[in-house]
Amino acid sequence: MNRNKFILQISLAFFLILIAALAGQLRRVQKEWRSAVRIMPGNSEPYVVFDPNQIDETREHSAPEVLVKFRSGVSGDAITKITARLNDRVEDEIESVSGLAAIDDLDNLEAESIAAEYRALPEVEYAEPNYEISLDHDGGGFKHLHPNDARFSEQWALDNDGRNGGKEGADIGALRAWVTTTGDDDMVVAVLDSGVDYTHSDLQNNIWIRPNNIKQYEDRQLGSIEDVHGYNAVENTGDPMDENGHGTHCAGIIGAEGGNEIGISGVNWKVKIMPLKFMNAGGFGNGKNAIEAINYVIERKRAGVNVRVISASWGTRLRSRALEDVIRKAHEVGILFVAASGNDGVNTDLMPQYPAGYDLGNLISVAALNRKDELASFSNYGANRVHLAAPGANILSTWLGNEYEEHSGTSMATPMVAGVAALVLSKRPQLSVDELRSTLLNSVDRIPQLHGKVSTGGRISAAQAIGGE
Amino acid sequence: MALSREEAIQKARRDLAQRLGAHESDIETQGVDDTDFPDTALGASVGDEMSGQMITPGWRIRLQAMGQAFEYRANQHQVRLCNYKGGNYSI
């Protein structure tokens, strides 16, 4: 090799190394730019808010911390004085909603604390943190919306990234669905169970409270019940506090508050959970109390409460005509009934379990999947009596004592479907119960292993049910 | 109040002795296994009882008396006798 050729080769190698290094830098910059693109609630287009590496430093100069709705009659001057007193400033008035303002805090307090300060004021109708929401795209070009809940990465059912032996994409497609809707405060889902811990900090903002214009529950035989949050059929009171944990777990799957930086996100970030208690501290109850609780839901619906779904994560081998009749009655008033197929690992076409086994037009029976997209070993199945499957193994959700626990069962798969039903209704509230049921059954992700095991052969898909972008 | 494993075993032994009209000392504990049951009624529903369809950890308590085997199921909330004279019983 002559000297000139050697120098040429060395120069070429150096040049190639330089190009590779520049390309690496470009990819890093591009990645950082992507992660800096965020959207704010209510905006249809993403915009750059800030560099995510400088969240704390830039906070007071970027997004407002809270959205506050002042009561009608509170003047602009009064609002300015209130915010100044709290060392805040009005960043923007939302003209389309009278009294609504985006407020910046100048003290660097947590958004939830600021919102609490405002909620305590008599001039304020409501105040909520201005949740940060990030938007990105997956490999298939679909938009995604990620909540900032602390333990969201453990919620494989909502976003399965293949961790812990899971299968990437074996989830309900929540991230895609949330681009379109994260739920609706006006949508009520009844959790017919062991009650719900309505004081849990990840649930309390999503618990149904009887509106002032709805009279307290009156039953000719049971009497008058002060039903602030729901109904307790075990003790015939208006206090459905959970003593077991099962109902609280199911409620969290449907509607643990999303985007609040703590715990988990429900399928619905915002929804109204109506707690109903018919199972005791041990986690079991009788048919009569289940019927009383369903009757309560029907009566509340008739009184004007927008309750559209009952989630029923329980069952028995005995068939009850009375239970079947009351669920049929719920159909007449437009309520979907989602039921657990059971955990005996059997074919329920041969060994039915109820209420999941009733052949009713408003009923969906649910099997459970594990994180590998396989029918869970414990799950019942049935090509006729079980309609679809949903994630139900190792599901993290809310628990008693402000805690979170992982549990498994068709009990966990059922609220996953009830939650998707509510999410669909938040976007398309005009759907009849029959249309809602068809939408859910016809939009499943088909999984070969479920062929012959559930009637649709698929897993519930929030993204497809809603028509994710 | 939450039951401990030992309290559940004791409760099961006492119940069986009463049912059989025997002394507790006649009841032999053959084994106690940690088990995952299919529901919150420990897979032993009584009558038309409804139970949460959540996998529920507990203890399978195997007792023997008068030459017969008996199975109790328990967790911190409850003790149940399984398949005794054709039925399940909540203790």
Side-chain angles (χ1 to χ4, degrees):
Chain A
M1 183 187 295
N2 64 40
R3 183 184 165 82
N4 286 343
K5 199 171 176 183
F6 176 73
I7 289 171
L8 185 69
Q9 283 179 342
I10 288 287
S11 303
L12 187 64
F14 180 73
F15 179 71
L16 287 172
I17 289 167
L18 193 67
I19 293 289
L22 279 171
Q25 283 295 309
L26 269 174
R27 272 199 299 275
R28 190 177 65 78
V29 169
Q30 190 180 25
K31 194 175 170 186
E32 283 178 359
W33 184 86
R34 276 202 194 119
S35 60
V37 173
R38 288 160 186 269
I39 64 166
M40 307 311 295
N43 285 12
S44 59
E45 293 299 322
Y47 63 92
V48 178
V49 174
F50 50 71
D51 178 343
N53 297 319
Q54 297 177 13
I55 288 172
D56 292 337
E57 289 78 4
T58 61
R59 186 172 186 161
E60 63 186 310
H61 304 298
S62 55
E65 275 84 359
V66 288
L67 293 162
V68 178
K69 170 83 162 59
F70 292 90
R71 294 188 189 282
S72 80
V74 179
S75 68
D77 279 352
I79 291 172
T80 305
K81 281 178 187 162
I82 289 167
T83 52
R85 195 174 72 226
L86 296 172
N87 197 26
D88 300 335
R89 68 181 174 90
V90 175
E91 197 214 66
D92 188 28
E93 287 178 36
I94 314 296
E95 287 79 6
S96 61
V97 180
S98 175
L100 183 60
I103 288 176
D104 256 349
D105 165 64
L106 305 176
D107 305 317
N108 276 331
L109 296 175
E110 286 298 315
E112 187 53 57
S113 312
I114 305 163
E117 276 185 336
Y118 280 92
R119 277 188 214 116
L121 300 175
E123 297 91 344
V124 170
E125 190 176 325
Y126 62 79
E128 57 191 32
N130 180 28
Y131 302 127
E132 287 168 7
I133 299 167
S134 64
L135 184 70
D136 61 18
H137 294 75
D138 65 11
F142 292 107
K143 288 180 186 172
H144 283 178
L145 200 56
H146 288 267
N148 59 12
D149 301 79
R151 299 184 68 177
F152 181 71
S153 63
E154 298 172 60
Q155 293 187 267
W156 71 265
L158 305 183
D159 178 27
N160 193 342
D161 59 7
R163 256 184 275 194
N164 299 320
K167 180 180 172 188
E168 192 172 355
D171 54 47
I172 68 166
L175 301 186
R176 280 170 58 196
W178 288 338
V179 174
T180 304
T181 176
T182 54
D184 183 347
D185 271 341
D186 291 332
M187 197 58 59
V188 183
V189 179
V191 176
L192 178 54
D193 212 286
S194 56
V196 175
D197 179 357
Y198 46 79
T199 64
H200 195 293
S201 51
D202 222 356
L203 291 172
Q204 60 187 358
N205 290 335
N206 282 349
I207 296 292
W208 178 74
I209 299 170
R210 179 168 51 80
N212 291 333
N213 62 333
I214 304 281
K215 288 182 184 170
Q216 70 178 43
Y217 184 55
E218 299 280 349
D219 182 285
R220 262 181 290 180
Q221 284 73 41
L222 301 176
S224 177
I225 291 156
E226 182 67 43
D227 57 330
V228 177
H229 292 306
Y231 177 53
N232 176 344
V234 178
E235 293 161 326
N236 192 38
T237 70
D239 184 5
M241 177 53 77
D242 187 5
E243 298 170 281
N244 176 271
H246 183 266
T248 300
H249 201 268
C250 294
I253 293 166
I254 295 168
E257 187 179 1
N260 63 352
E261 300 183 345
I262 63 164
I264 61 159
S265 175
V267 174
N268 298 264
W269 295 20
K270 48 193 175 174
V271 68
K272 284 291 171 268
I273 302 285
M274 177 190 279
L276 301 168
K277 179 173 183 171
F278 88 99
M279 295 194 289
N280 60 16
F284 42 90
N286 62 49
K288 182 258 180 190
N289 286 345
I291 289 166
E292 291 285 7
I294 297 169
N295 186 59
Y296 169 85
V297 179
I298 293 169
E299 290 304 316
R300 295 287 78 181
K301 171 85 173 167
R302 285 180 172 147
V305 177
N306 187 33
V307 55
R308 301 292 306 274
V309 183
I310 295 175
S311 188
S313 289
W314 44 270
T316 175
R317 287 241 171 267
L318 294 184
R319 183 170 192 148
S320 158
R321 289 285 301 276
L323 180 60
E324 186 174 0
D325 280 347
V326 77
I327 298 170
R328 186 179 289 112
K329 191 58 77 177
H331 189 190
E332 289 174 17
V333 297
I335 296 172
L336 183 72
F337 194 93
V338 187
S341 66
N343 298 339
D344 305 300
V346 300
N347 184 344
T348 58
D349 289 347
L350 306 173
M351 298 175 67
Q353 166 147 319
Y354 302 100
Y358 297 131
D359 184 15
L360 296 171
N362 62 331
L363 192 143
I364 295 179
S365 168
V366 186
L369 293 167
N370 63 23
R371 67 174 84 225
K372 294 177 180 173
D373 235 2
E374 300 162 338
L375 192 68
S377 58
F378 56 78
S379 181
N380 286 351
Y381 54 92
N384 297 313
R385 288 183 192 266
V386 183
H387 301 109
L388 48 67
N394 305 109
I395 303 296
L396 181 71
S397 187
T398 44
W399 198 257
L400 302 184
N402 223 23
E403 295 289 339
Y404 299 85
E405 289 192 5
E406 250 185 33
H407 285 283
S408 300
T410 50
S411 273
M412 284 65 244
T414 298
M416 213 66 79
V417 174
V420 173
L423 203 60
V424 169
L425 287 169
S426 74
K427 179 71 179 166
R428 300 165 67 193
Q430 77 285 358
L431 287 181
S432 70
V433 64
D434 294 351
E435 291 168 335
L436 173 63
R437 184 174 182 271
S438 299
T439 298
L440 296 173
L441 298 186
N442 294 334
S443 61
V444 296
D445 269 326
R446 291 189 201 287
I447 299 170
Q449 203 220 346
L450 292 179
H451 179 72
K453 297 285 188 184
V454 299
S455 66
T456 60
R459 171 193 355 99
I460 187 85
S461 169
Q464 287 168 192
I466 284 160
E469 290 178 51
Chain B
M1 200 173 70
L3 282 173
S4 69
R5 179 184 167 115
E6 291 312 313
E7 287 167 338
I9 296 167
Q10 193 57 42
K11 202 169 172 183
R13 290 174 57 90
R14 198 176 305 130
D15 177 76
L16 186 58
Q18 273 179 0
R19 285 179 193 275
L20 301 179
H23 291 292
E24 268 187 62
S25 55
D26 297 329
I27 310 294
E28 184 188 344
T29 303
Q30 291 209 306
V32 182
D33 311 311
D34 290 342
T35 308
D36 282 337
F37 296 110
D39 54 48
T40 51
L42 312 181
S45 291
V46 179
D48 77 339
E49 195 174 59
M50 315 285 181
S51 59
Q53 297 300 301
M54 180 174 78
I55 304 299
T56 304
W59 311 292
R60 189 187 304 275
I61 303 166
R62 290 177 286 114
L63 304 181
Q64 185 160 348
M66 299 175 177
Q68 276 188 290
F70 302 89
E71 182 180 323
Y72 284 79
R73 297 178 180 184
N75 68 356
Q76 74 272 29
H77 293 299
Q78 58 191 313
V79 179
R80 288 170 182 254
L81 171 57
C82 285
N83 202 19
Y84 177 74
K85 295 183 178 174
N88 300 321
Y89 298 86
S90 183
I91 309 305

